[in-house]
Amino acid sequence: MRLSRREMLGAATALAGAAGAGAPASARAMAGTRRGGLDEMIVIDGNSAVIAIDRPGQPHDAPDADMIRSIGASGLTAISMTIGQGTDGDRFGRVIQKIAGYGEKIAAASDTLMRIRTAADIRTAKKTKRLGLIYNIQDTALLDTDVARIATLQQIGVRIVQLTYNRRNWVGDGGLEGNDGGLSNFGHEVVRELNAHNLLVDLSHGGSRLVRQAVEASSAPPVISHAGCRALVDLPRNVGDAEMRLLAEHGGVFGVYFMPFLSTTPPATTADVVRHIEHALNVCGEDHIGIGSDGTVPAMRFDEATLAANRAEHAGRVRAKIAAPGETPDGTYYVPDLNEPERMYRLADALARRGWPAARIEKLMGANFLRVFGEAWGG
C-alpha cells in the first residue's frame, strides 16, 4: 500500500526518534527561559504529526525518550493529526485500524499524550502538561457516497474532516482541478451531516469555489487549517484573499503552514512565514488566524534512505495527480530555520520583535483554534 506524504512524515519522525536523531533542545530551552509568554498560552498546531501508525499492536512506535524531549521542548498543547488521506485501498477501514493503533500508543505514554474529543480536553492537556492529539482526515473520498459513515467517524474519535485533497471527489473539486467546479449536491449533504455530528469542516486543499460555497453552507465556522496566501505566492495550495475574508466573516480560522509554497524560491524561511501570517492578519483580522505547520513535532532529519523514500513518494504523488505545483522531490516540506521542536517559540519571538502584542500572539498560537473547536465540538 502506497503511503501518503503525511504518513511518510510520521514514519520519518518515528525513525528519527528511535534513532535519537531529533534536534537537541536549544540552550534557551535547557535554561528554562521562555520569551513571549508561550508557556502560559494554549498552543495548537492545526496540522502536524508525532507518532507513526501502521497497524494495532506496535507499541514500540510510542514516543521514546528523545521524542518525549521534543514534545516537552515544543511548547505545544495540542496538534491535529491526520489519520486518513489518499484514495487507494480500504480507506475507511484503514482509519478505524489506525485509531486502534493510536489508542495503544497513547495508553503506552499516557503521562505524555492524551486524546482530544472536546475543547475542554485541550484545557486539561495544558493543565496536565501533556500533548493532546486531535484526529483529522484529509479527503472525504473514504466516505464513498455513504454519509452514514460520518456518524461512525465522530463516534470513533475523529474531530476534523477535510472535504477534498487537491483532486475532485464526490464532495467537490480540490485545489488542482482547473474547472473549479465547487461543492456538489452530495457535498452540501456532507457539510450538513458534519455540522449535525459536531465535526469541524476543514477546507484546506479545496478549490476556490468549493471554499466559498462550503463556508456559506456550513452552519458552524469552518477552518482552512493549513495553507498560505495566494496574493503573495500564486500557487494552488495557497488561498485567495476573497476566500480568506469570507472564512473570517463566518467566524472561521485560517492556519498558515510551514511549507515551500510560501516562497517563489523554496525552501521557505521564517521571514516568509511571518510575511504570510501578517498578510492573513490584514485580510482576516487577529481573531481568525492560526498555525497549521503541516510538519512534525520533532525536527525532520533526512539520511539517504529517507531521501530516497521521499523521492519515491513524490513520484507516486505525481502519478496519482495529487502533487501540487511547488512540491519538490527531495521532501523538504518544512522551513529549515524552523526545523526544531521549539519552532513555535522561535516564531513567537520573531513576531514579538515586530511589535506584536502578547494578546495577538496568544490568539495566533492557539486561542483562535480553541474558540472554533469549542463552537464545532462543544466544551
Side-chain angles (χ1 to χ4, degrees):
M1 180 180 295
R2 183 176 60 82
L3 296 179
S4 70
R5 184 178 63 80
R6 168 62 49 201
E7 290 166 324
M8 290 291 293
L9 283 173
T13 299
L15 289 170
S26 70
R28 173 165 58 86
M30 295 298 288
T33 303
R34 302 299 198 193
R35 290 178 288 177
L38 238 64
D39 283 342
E40 287 69 50
M41 299 176 187
I42 286 178
V43 182
I44 298 171
D45 190 330
N47 199 57
S48 186
V50 69
I51 50 177
I53 300 293
D54 289 319
R55 60 183 183 276
Q58 294 180 303
H60 59 277
D61 284 343
D64 64 5
D66 291 300
M67 187 75 73
I68 289 169
R69 279 193 291 271
S70 291
I71 291 170
S74 72
L76 287 163
T77 308
I79 64 171
S80 177
M81 188 168 60
T82 300
I83 59 167
Q85 178 183 319
T87 58
D88 56 345
D90 180 8
R91 297 157 298 196
F92 191 74
R94 183 169 172 79
V95 165
I96 295 172
Q97 186 181 63
K98 288 179 73 173
I99 283 179
Y102 279 125
E104 292 179 1
K105 289 158 180 47
I106 291 170
S110 59
D111 57 345
T112 301
L113 303 173
M114 69 172 286
R115 184 172 172 179
I116 301 298
R117 296 176 177 83
T118 67
D121 288 342
I122 296 177
R123 297 185 186 96
T124 298
K126 180 67 178 178
K127 290 177 184 177
T128 57
K129 299 181 179 179
R130 289 179 287 172
L131 178 66
L133 303 183
I134 304 161
Y135 297 162
N136 77 65
I137 62 169
Q138 291 194 57
D139 197 347
T140 52
L142 57 74
L143 299 177
D144 292 321
T145 57
D146 184 3
V147 293
R149 289 184 172 186
I150 290 172
T152 303
L153 289 174
Q154 196 276 341
Q155 291 163 5
I156 62 178
V158 173
R159 288 297 176 265
I160 302 173
V161 175
Q162 181 178 296
L163 298 185
T164 60
Y165 188 89
N166 289 348
R167 295 185 63 186
R168 176 178 298 152
N169 61 23
W170 287 107
V171 161
D173 276 10
L176 299 189
E177 295 290 344
N179 289 334
D180 196 19
L183 196 66
S184 68
N185 290 338
F186 178 67
H188 281 275
E189 185 180 0
V190 165
V191 170
R192 286 194 298 270
E193 286 296 305
L194 292 173
N195 291 158
H197 289 89
N198 299 321
L199 291 171
L200 182 64
V201 177
D202 189 350
L203 306 177
S204 305
H205 292 266
S208 297
R209 191 175 177 206
L210 177 139
V211 169
R212 294 192 300 271
Q213 292 178 336
V215 168
E216 297 281 7
S218 181
S219 62
V223 299
I224 298 174
S225 65
H226 56 294
C229 305
R230 189 172 290 190
L232 300 182
V233 180
D234 188 11
L235 289 172
R237 274 294 288 114
N238 295 332
V239 178
D241 285 0
E243 290 72 37
M244 293 166 61
R245 190 173 294 112
L246 186 66
L247 179 79
E249 289 171 353
H250 284 73
V253 173
F254 181 82
V256 175
Y257 49 26
F258 301 166
M259 293 286 279
F261 312 117
L262 299 180
S263 173
T264 56
T265 56
T269 66
T270 300
D272 293 312
V273 175
V274 170
R275 191 164 58 103
H276 282 257
I277 288 172
E278 293 191 334
H279 184 84
L281 170 69
N282 292 333
V283 172
C284 300
E286 67 178 36
D287 294 322
H288 304 283
I289 53 175
I291 299 296
S293 71
D294 208 9
T296 63
V297 176
M300 294 300 297
R301 288 292 179 265
F302 298 106
D303 55 22
E304 274 306 313
T306 306
L307 287 170
N310 287 343
R311 289 190 287 270
E313 166 62 13
H314 181 263
R317 287 172 63 81
V318 171
R319 288 192 299 272
K321 299 181 180 180
I322 59 172
E327 290 188 20
T328 58
D330 59 4
T332 54
Y333 300 111
Y334 62 96
V335 175
D337 54 349
L338 291 176
N339 186 33
E340 61 171 337
E342 286 192 292
R343 60 184 66 85
M344 293 297 205
Y345 289 106
R346 185 181 291 274
L347 178 59
D349 287 347
L351 294 171
R353 287 193 295 271
R354 293 181 63 80
W356 277 48
R360 184 188 296 161
I361 294 174
E362 183 172 15
K363 291 177 181 181
L364 172 78
M365 288 290 166
N368 289 338
F369 269 132
L370 183 65
R371 185 261 307 166
V372 82
F373 291 166
E375 292 183 32
W377 310 334

